Amino acid sequence: MNPKAVRSWIMYDWANSAFVTTIMAAVMPVFYKEVAGSGLTGNAAENYWGYTQTIAMIFVAVLCPILGAVADYAGSKVRFLSGFMIVGAAATIGMAFIGENDWLFASLLVIIGTIGYAASNTFYDALLPSISTPETMNAVSNKGYAMGYLGGGLLLLVNLVMIMFYDKLGFSSKTSATQTVFAMVGIWWVVFSLPIMRNVKETARDTSSGFGTALKNGFRRVKGTIGTLKRYPELLKYMASFWFFNDGINTVIVMATIYGSGIGIETNDLIAALLITQFVGYPSTLLFIKFASRIGIKKSIYSSLFVYMLIVILGFFMTSAVHFYALAALVGLVQGGSQATARSLYAALVPPSRTAEFFGFLSLSSKFASVAGPFVFSVVGTITGSSRYGILALLAFFIIGIAILVYVDVDKGRREALAGEAVI
């Protein structure tokens, strides 16, 4: 391994996690409800936020597998990561111009920003096997998530201070302070993406045939990916499991704050709870490396998913800020470790020379699957008139994911990946 490349790869989690914490999880959901959606009635803002996430995931699902195949073909994962990072950061900076009742403009920018984040993350994930070894992959993956918690948490702490003490810091209103926060997130994302752009190198490939041919080959490779999945039955089972439990995790992330706001928890309490998640998540994700190595990668994922089931059940009964703090601590305990371990397990089950293509295909499948979580939350909330039943419905995603994961043989899956590499 190249230590400088590893550090630079890890630093990108520090860079892009600011978008997750501030835009997707903490500040924007509340801003969307109280400012951008100020003219909406009832629980319409929560439902529109869920639909916004659904639309964004559909776009990402369509784009990523094709772009992943092209990136593998041309050896350009870093360039694609950089391009989508710039798109996402620009949209985030643009959020500084969202005003009262601008919910449609806010939704548009959130969709563009989410596309930039999710697409760049596809290529970021796909770089993992090339900057690590099979023995170090899980540790490097967990360190990336841990650094993301630390970076996202530090910026969120600054954001919280700016919003809470806006008048003492010279802002004319809480709204103007929040708009400045959005611009800061976009700038932070760009600045701390520079190391991965400079220090992570890929093997150059012949691109003399041009982008059109590469794109055509990209479509062909995606079609080939679908056709060759039968060679990797363990990977296919794991993907099915991942679709469900990852959808449950992502829905908890993007809907938790606006759900809390909808049941009457104050903005400062919501953001403070997200800080708890970040700073509990940092050491917990690092400890998860030892936990997974001691009990095994599958058992560690099981453990985290059972905790998520407990979080969903307790979330249904939540009534106060203290409850939200407790649930935030539980999320921080398992969120980074579960996602990092799931990522490293997937990387271990795919042919090494086609990582971007397979991670792109995972984005296609999981993002289409991820439409279901926010959509179910919003539909159940619309039908019942209460977001509590929407959050409870997420329980099914974890139960189904665990049930499928039971049948995944990890060792057999690794052998299938190596066998498939031999025939590529």
Side-chain angles (χ1 to χ4, degrees):
M1 294 192 303
N2 180 339
K4 191 174 184 179
V6 172
R7 290 194 299 270
S8 299
W9 184 88
I10 289 172
M11 183 56 66
Y12 186 70
D13 228 317
W14 170 290
N16 72 1
S17 289
F19 181 85
V20 179
T21 55
T22 299
I23 306 303
M24 295 179 70
V27 180
M28 176 53 83
V30 178
F31 185 83
Y32 188 93
K33 177 177 175 59
E34 297 182 353
V35 179
S38 57
L40 301 174
T41 59
N43 65 338
E46 294 102 295
N47 296 334
Y48 286 3
W49 178 256
Y51 294 135
T52 297
Q53 298 300 319
T54 298
I55 293 169
M57 291 302 101
I58 290 173
F59 276 108
V60 171
V62 172
L63 285 173
C64 283
I66 302 301
L67 294 174
V70 172
D72 270 337
Y73 177 79
S76 54
K77 291 185 279 291
V78 175
R79 279 190 292 165
F80 275 92
L81 181 155
S82 303
F84 278 102
M85 176 274 296
I86 292 170
V87 169
T92 306
I93 293 171
M95 293 174 194
F97 300 98
I98 299 171
E100 289 189 6
N101 208 30
D102 283 342
W103 64 268
L104 186 59
F105 181 46
S107 289
L108 177 63
L109 290 179
V110 169
I111 288 169
I112 295 172
T114 303
I115 290 170
Y117 167 78
S120 66
N121 226 42
T122 296
F123 302 110
Y124 170 65
D125 289 344
L127 286 166
L128 175 60
S130 64
I131 57 95
S132 61
T133 66
E135 294 76 21
T136 63
M137 194 180 299
N138 190 56
V140 171
S141 181
N142 275 270
K143 288 176 181 177
Y145 268 100
M147 188 61 73
Y149 274 117
L150 186 59
L154 287 174
L155 185 59
L156 185 59
L157 178 59
V158 174
N159 294 340
L160 179 60
V161 170
M162 290 173 63
I163 293 170
M164 290 179 65
F165 304 103
Y166 69 91
D167 51 344
K168 294 180 175 60
L169 295 173
F171 294 103
S172 59
S173 65
K174 183 180 288 189
T175 296
S176 64
T178 306
Q179 291 167 331
T180 304
V181 160
F182 295 148
M184 285 181 62
V185 171
I187 294 169
W188 173 286
W189 192 355
V190 173
V191 170
F192 290 107
S193 295
L194 295 178
I196 196 171
M197 295 167 64
R198 294 179 58 184
N199 300 324
V200 176
K201 308 297 182 183
E202 297 176 85
T203 303
R205 300 191 184 185
D206 180 17
T207 57
S208 58
S209 54
F211 180 79
T213 302
L215 186 61
K216 182 179 179 180
N217 278 283
F219 276 103
R220 184 180 297 120
R221 290 193 74 182
V222 170
K223 183 179 179 181
T225 302
I226 297 172
T228 57
L229 278 176
K230 60 186 178 183
R231 299 179 189 169
Y232 315 105
E234 300 308 313
L235 172 64
L236 191 56
K237 285 187 286 186
Y238 178 67
M239 286 175 65
S241 171
F242 183 85
W243 294 335
F244 284 99
F245 73 71
N246 187 63
D247 191 11
I249 293 172
N250 286 335
T251 307
V252 168
I253 293 171
V254 301
M255 301 305 297
T257 304
I258 201 166
Y259 169 69
S261 178
I263 64 173
I265 297 175
E266 296 295 326
T267 301
N268 291 343
D269 289 322
L270 293 170
I271 298 178
L274 266 296
L275 278 174
I276 292 173
T277 298
Q278 297 304 115
F279 291 114
V280 170
Y282 175 67
S284 296
T285 304
L286 293 177
L287 289 173
F288 214 87
I289 300 172
K290 295 181 179 179
F291 181 64
S293 63
R294 177 169 297 182
I295 72 169
I297 196 164
K298 274 183 65 176
K299 289 181 180 178
S300 65
I301 295 176
Y302 288 142
S303 301
S304 64
L305 296 182
F306 284 127
V307 173
Y308 267 111
M309 291 171 63
L310 177 63
I311 290 167
V312 169
I313 294 170
L314 294 177
F316 176 79
F317 296 102
M318 180 175 63
T319 58
S320 69
V322 173
H323 295 160
F324 201 74
Y325 289 158
L327 293 182
L330 281 176
V331 171
L333 187 66
V334 295
Q335 182 172 291
S338 63
Q339 291 183 306
T341 304
R343 175 172 64 186
S344 62
L345 176 54
Y346 182 78
L349 297 177
V350 302
S353 68
R354 299 172 71 177
T355 56
E357 176 186 348
F358 272 86
F359 269 102
F361 186 78
L362 182 66
S363 288
L364 168 69
S365 56
S366 65
K367 292 304 183 294
F368 270 125
S370 290
V371 168
F375 184 72
V376 167
F377 178 96
S378 298
V379 169
V380 172
T382 300
I383 293 173
T384 64
S386 171
S387 298
R388 290 186 184 276
Y389 293 100
I391 206 77
L392 189 64
L394 301 181
L395 199 61
F397 291 90
F398 296 109
I399 294 172
I400 296 172
I402 291 171
I404 299 174
L405 184 59
V406 169
Y407 295 97
V408 178
D409 186 329
V410 176
D411 291 333
K412 183 179 178 182
R414 289 191 176 111
R415 293 194 297 270
E416 290 170 353
L418 293 176
E421 182 77 0
V423 300
I424 292 175

